[in-house]
Amino acid sequence: MTTLVARWRAHSTLTALGGFGLAAILLFAVAPAVLSDFRLNLLAKFLCFAIVAVGIGLAWGRGGMLTLGQGVFFGIGAYIMAMHLQMADATRLGNDVPEFMEISGIRELPPFWQPFASAPVALIGILVLPALVAAVLGYGVFKRRVKGAYFAILSQALAAALAILLTGQQAIGGFTGLSDFRAFFGFKLSDPVNRKMLFFIAAGTLLVVVALVRQLMRSRYGELLVAVRDQEERVRFLGYDPANVKIVAYVVAAFFAGIAGALFTPIVGIISPADIGVVPSIAFLIGVAIGGRTTLLGPVLGAIGVAWAQTAFSEEFPSGWTYLQGVLFIVVIGFIPLGLAGVWLMLKGFLDNRFRRSQPAVAIPAVVEPQPEIEPEKVETR
């Protein structure tokens, strides 16, 4: 039995290494050679969405937490990066405040901007703040055993509140957000070579994130997370605290979303409240659901596919894409709960059942067990 398990693990590892190798070839060799600079930049944007989707797949697909507020953590990372880039541009031009502040009449830099003028502090903030906010929120929610639709509504309300708060803050760009970034850590964003570098950074980050989630899924923690999703009370009776298990998954998903937001800002060149509110959070979720939330690659392919379809169809049918997106979501949830990644499993199960039914029944001869010989009763004679 141990030998069979070892062989299965070795085969699975080799398959995973082959998949990562193929993905690396497609992203680092094929895509730059085939796509134009504009399409490559679009793909980099879609890869940022895929990074968020991987975290949602872990929290929702494995942990059962319907996260409708990932735009919050995406926005925290994106705005921290945008503030640093604005400060770097202002320093390079010899200004005390970014240009948009001068236009708005703000002559003094707000105190909360000042720490992010340093690149190390900005990077630490991108990695720590989204995870810290998720840890505080998760502790307050999961320790009180809030779950299901209540947790989904709460997370969605948080995304809406953050978008409304940022809309009224002129010190962070207000409704229009932050844009017009000239450089990314000293590299000019107008240079096509540097734009391609951003794509490679996003692609490498996505591969690392997928590898980390794969290890989590295959670990003891991954099994415990699935157990919490399916039988939370039984896990509690076994001596584990399901709240702690959920908090870890929620923090990891927020950590990934913050990194994705930080990459999104220089790639797209703008970040605004419209990119982090309720609608983007739901769009993240739709991509994960369509791709297959319980699988590893389903969220990645679903997020990229939905984002690409939105770009392609909205060019031809600007007013019809929203309806098509809603129809896709309803069809997947109602008829393909495992997503597009589960279509193969459903087809395979259907074919197996048809094959078994077509097989003629083989009569198994009955085995007659030998009966013990019964000795005749002895009759006593007098």
Side-chain angles (χ1 to χ4, degrees):
M1 184 65 180
T2 306
T3 306
L4 292 176
V5 173
R7 289 180 179 177
W8 178 82
R9 289 183 180 275
H11 175 72
S12 179
T13 302
L14 290 176
T15 303
L17 290 176
F20 278 106
L22 178 60
I25 292 174
L26 292 175
L27 291 174
F28 291 97
V30 177
V34 173
L35 300 178
S36 63
D37 292 340
F38 174 73
R39 295 297 176 183
L40 195 66
N41 191 65
L42 273 182
L43 181 57
K45 173 184 173 182
F46 300 160
L47 294 181
C48 295
F49 296 157
I51 295 172
V52 182
V54 173
I56 296 177
L58 178 67
W60 183 32
R62 292 282 172 163
M65 294 170 281
L66 186 59
T67 54
L68 289 175
Q70 290 304 100
V72 173
F73 314 114
F74 183 84
I76 292 175
Y79 266 90
I80 291 176
M81 177 61 74
M83 292 164 68
H84 170 70
L85 296 182
Q86 288 279 4
M87 285 295 301
D89 291 342
T91 303
R92 194 175 299 106
L93 296 174
N95 300 329
D96 295 331
V97 295
E99 291 182 343
F100 81 92
M101 288 188 182
E102 294 181 353
I103 297 174
S104 302
I106 302 175
R107 305 302 178 189
E108 185 177 354
L109 190 69
F112 65 90
W113 273 75
Q114 297 175 2
F116 301 121
S118 171
V121 174
L123 291 176
I124 292 173
I126 290 168
L127 298 176
V128 172
L129 283 181
L132 182 61
V133 172
V136 173
L137 179 64
Y139 185 86
V141 171
F142 298 127
K143 286 295 184 179
R144 289 172 173 77
R145 302 186 183 183
V146 177
K147 56 184 178 180
Y150 299 102
F151 169 74
I153 294 172
L154 181 62
S155 61
Q156 189 179 52
L158 183 64
L162 180 63
I164 294 172
L165 176 65
L166 293 176
T167 301
Q169 298 295 323
Q170 292 300 324
I172 320 181
F175 179 79
T176 58
L178 302 176
S179 60
D180 298 330
F181 311 114
R182 292 183 174 86
F184 177 74
F185 293 99
F187 296 93
K188 292 184 178 180
L189 291 175
S190 58
D191 190 345
V193 176
N194 295 334
R195 306 290 300 179
K196 188 174 294 185
M197 177 190 67
L198 286 173
F199 168 78
F200 290 144
I201 293 174
T205 303
L206 176 61
L207 292 179
V208 171
V209 165
V210 172
L212 290 175
V213 171
R214 180 180 180 274
Q215 290 302 116
L216 281 177
M217 288 182 175
R218 290 167 56 87
S219 66
R220 184 177 181 84
Y221 169 78
E223 297 176 354
L224 188 60
L225 184 61
V226 174
V228 170
R229 179 195 66 188
D230 296 337
Q231 295 291 339
E232 182 174 337
E233 294 302 324
R234 290 189 179 184
V235 172
R236 183 175 287 108
F237 292 153
L238 291 175
Y240 296 97
D241 188 354
N244 294 334
V245 179
K246 291 182 178 181
I247 290 172
V248 171
Y250 192 53
V251 168
V252 171
F255 177 74
F256 292 160
I259 294 175
L263 292 174
F264 177 88
T265 297
I267 289 173
V268 178
I270 184 174
I271 183 67
S272 67
D275 298 317
I276 65 174
V278 174
V279 175
S281 298
I282 296 177
F284 293 146
L285 202 73
I286 291 176
V288 175
I290 292 176
R293 61 188 178 93
T294 59
T295 60
L296 179 62
L297 295 180
V300 175
L301 300 178
I304 296 175
V306 170
W308 173 83
Q310 181 178 3
T311 302
F313 284 102
S314 60
E315 294 175 356
E316 299 293 334
F317 310 101
S319 61
W321 162 247
T322 305
Y323 299 103
L324 179 60
Q325 190 179 37
V327 170
L328 282 175
F329 185 69
I330 293 172
V331 169
V332 169
I333 295 298
F335 301 97
I336 316 175
L338 296 179
L340 297 180
V343 172
W344 165 247
L345 297 177
M346 295 173 60
L347 182 61
K348 184 175 180 298
F350 175 76
L351 293 177
D352 288 344
N353 291 334
R354 291 293 301 269
F355 179 76
R356 290 174 183 173
R357 291 177 181 177
S358 62
Q359 289 285 339
V362 179
I364 301 177
V367 178
V368 181
E369 297 182 358
Q371 298 293 331
E373 297 182 358
I374 302 176
E375 297 181 358
E377 297 182 358
K378 297 181 180 180
V379 180
E380 295 184 1
T381 57
R382 293 183 181 179

